[in-house]
Amino acid sequence: MPLAPYMEWAKTRRSAKWDLAISNVLGLSIDELPGAAETLALSGRNDSGYEPLMKAIARQYGVRPSQVTTAQGASGANFLAYAALLTHGDDIVVERPGYDPLMGAARLLGANVVQFDRCVEDGFALDPERVRAAMTPRTKLIVITSPHNPTSVVADPDALKAIGDLASAAGARVLVDEVYLDATARDTPTSLTLGDHFIVTSSLTKSYGLAGLRCGWILSSEAIAAQLRRARDVVDGTGSIVAERLGVLAFAHLDQLHARARTLLDINMPLVHEFLRQRPELACPKPRGGTVIFPMLLNVEDTSRLAERLLTERDTAIVPGHFFQSPRHFRLGFSGPTDQLRGGLENVAAALDAREW
Ligand SMILES: Cc1ncc(COP(=O)(O)O)c(C=O)c1O
């Protein structure tokens, strides 16, 4: 079994004219980042992270630079955190539905993955009781995405705090992947504020349209940051100075980039609301933010055939739910160009009308 079937599919699938399998805010062009060309440089000191970038991240999220570890995207951030905190035979508790690299990376390191459910009937809310039931004496890490991939639901702070208390009592830690947070609820404080047993990962990929920069980071206590840096010594050494310098520039324009993302998402969101209103065969909590939805197709066991037929017959991509361990659902992204979303939704509606599953 591949380590991360979704990631493998996402990288090898056919491209589609109407691409709703995405989750990033529309990619930025170099002209949309003022000063980008002048900022490029091929050398500079960044052994423990490029200092101006660590300062910019720290300022943005209200922490000290010594609590920031830079990484290759949120993917690299998650992997570094796992590499620093997990050893062979540890247990890691991960949400279901969940983003599969969060499980695959743990398996690669020899950890056992135990999942707990976030249920459509509860609006995919986090239930600390389910987390408690999934914990074992070997649990070292509890991993949550907030906003949740694939549903975009933002974790309730009280539930997160309760999960933090469970972790703390068990000598475990909570990793919260907040890569979608700024596109969804930018004013929500980072979960690091909940205590030193929390670790937060994120990047400029999802909320700012800067996937190509691979500008990611981990926010943690200083003690954990020191462990993360030693793990980095054997994972990728240092970051790319080229990308880290551009990352500083992006932080200098973050409000502008945020406004760009908001404008796009505020135009696209009503199209998704209207689509869901017209589709009684889909069960989906009303989306309040984020870049993706995860509807359940009622009375259908597996959406794989629907996704396959949409791709081959209607040139339209959605993500079948089995990649998130929930085959009755599918993930539909709405953070791309509005015309693409409109055309894609029409095609999904036509496929549902024709019962192409
Ligand atoms: C929850 C989550 N974390 C991390 C990533 C990867 O982010 P990055 O491009 O910054 O590595 C994704 C991408 O889909 C994601 O959904």
Side-chain angles (χ1 to χ4, degrees):
M1 153 122 164
L3 280 169
Y6 162 68
M7 283 301 271
E8 186 175 326
W9 175 84
K11 289 177 174 175
T12 56
R13 74 177 168 88
R14 226 186 71 173
S15 55
K17 179 173 178 197
W18 310 104
D19 195 346
L20 306 184
I22 49 158
S23 61
N24 300 353
V25 162
L26 178 65
L28 215 64
S29 74
I30 203 142
D31 300 335
E32 289 178 281
L33 189 56
E38 302 83 69
T39 300
L40 293 176
L42 297 175
S43 53
R45 280 215 73 162
N46 65 341
D47 302 295
S48 296
Y50 184 49
E51 216 177 300
L53 180 59
M54 290 160 76
K55 282 189 175 153
I57 296 169
R59 200 175 313 117
Q60 182 65 28
Y61 298 102
V63 301
R64 291 184 294 284
S66 52
Q67 294 178 275
V68 176
T69 307
T70 57
Q72 302 293 333
S75 315
N78 290 329
F79 187 75
L80 259 191
Y82 283 18
L85 301 174
L86 293 175
T87 53
H88 200 274
D90 286 345
D91 282 0
I92 170 171
V93 173
V94 186
E95 62 201 4
R96 173 175 47 218
Y99 175 60
D100 71 2
L102 295 174
M103 290 150 254
R107 293 194 181 105
L108 189 66
L109 293 163
N112 308 306
V113 175
V114 187
Q115 288 198 270
F116 72 93
D117 288 311
R118 300 180 65 161
C119 303
V120 64
E121 308 83 59
D122 307 336
F124 297 107
L126 275 179
D127 179 350
E129 202 35 51
R130 289 180 190 267
V131 175
R132 196 195 53 73
M135 289 175 74
T136 73
R138 292 180 305 278
T139 301
K140 286 287 172 343
L141 202 56
I142 299 164
V143 181
I144 286 153
T145 56
S146 179
H148 182 210
N149 182 8
T151 70
S152 292
V153 170
V154 178
D156 171 45
D158 289 339
L160 266 184
K161 192 176 167 314
I163 292 168
D165 292 345
L166 290 171
S168 189
R173 296 195 170 96
V174 186
L175 186 154
V176 188
D177 177 328
E178 294 184 349
V179 77
Y180 295 96
L181 189 61
D182 287 8
T184 308
R186 199 187 187 207
D187 296 335
T188 305
T190 162
S191 307
L192 190 68
T193 53
L194 295 172
D196 273 0
H197 45 296
F198 280 82
I199 298 155
V200 169
T201 56
S202 191
S203 76
L204 294 179
T205 295
K206 298 290 169 184
S207 303
Y208 297 105
L210 284 165
L213 269 191
R214 312 307 303 135
C215 179
W217 59 86
I218 308 162
L219 310 180
S220 68
S221 68
E222 286 179 4
I224 292 177
Q227 272 177 270
L228 294 167
R229 281 173 206 167
R230 295 295 67 87
R232 181 162 219 189
D233 291 342
V234 298
V235 174
D236 61 354
T238 65
S240 152
I241 188 71
V242 181
E244 293 196 332
R245 286 175 62 96
L246 285 172
V248 176
L249 188 64
F251 270 92
H253 292 89
L254 215 58
D255 288 346
Q256 218 170 304
L257 301 185
H258 181 253
R260 170 186 179 272
R262 275 278 36 105
T263 303
L264 181 70
L265 293 168
D266 288 348
I267 293 170
N268 287 358
M269 178 70 95
L271 302 183
V272 176
H273 285 162
E274 184 54 20
F275 168 78
L276 288 174
R277 204 182 59 75
Q278 292 180 6
R279 302 305 329 177
E281 69 276 65
L282 298 180
C284 184
K286 189 173 177 184
R288 306 197 180 284
T291 62
V292 291
I293 53 170
F294 197 55
M296 180 165 85
L297 180 53
L298 298 175
N299 305 318
V300 173
E301 287 306 309
D302 193 332
T303 59
S304 298
R305 193 166 145 74
L306 173 71
E308 181 56 32
R309 290 190 64 181
L310 267 167
L311 192 57
T312 52
E313 297 170 27
R314 298 181 187 270
D315 210 359
T316 299
I318 57 171
V319 188
H322 72 84
F323 285 124
F324 300 91
Q325 316 87 49
S326 309
R328 301 179 66 190
H329 296 247
F330 61 89
R331 197 188 73 178
L332 185 151
F334 56 90
S335 52
T338 304
D339 286 349
Q340 175 167 294
L341 174 64
R342 201 176 275 119
L345 289 176
E346 279 169 17
N347 290 345
V348 176
L352 291 173
D353 285 341
R355 302 173 67 84
E356 290 173 4
W357 48 73

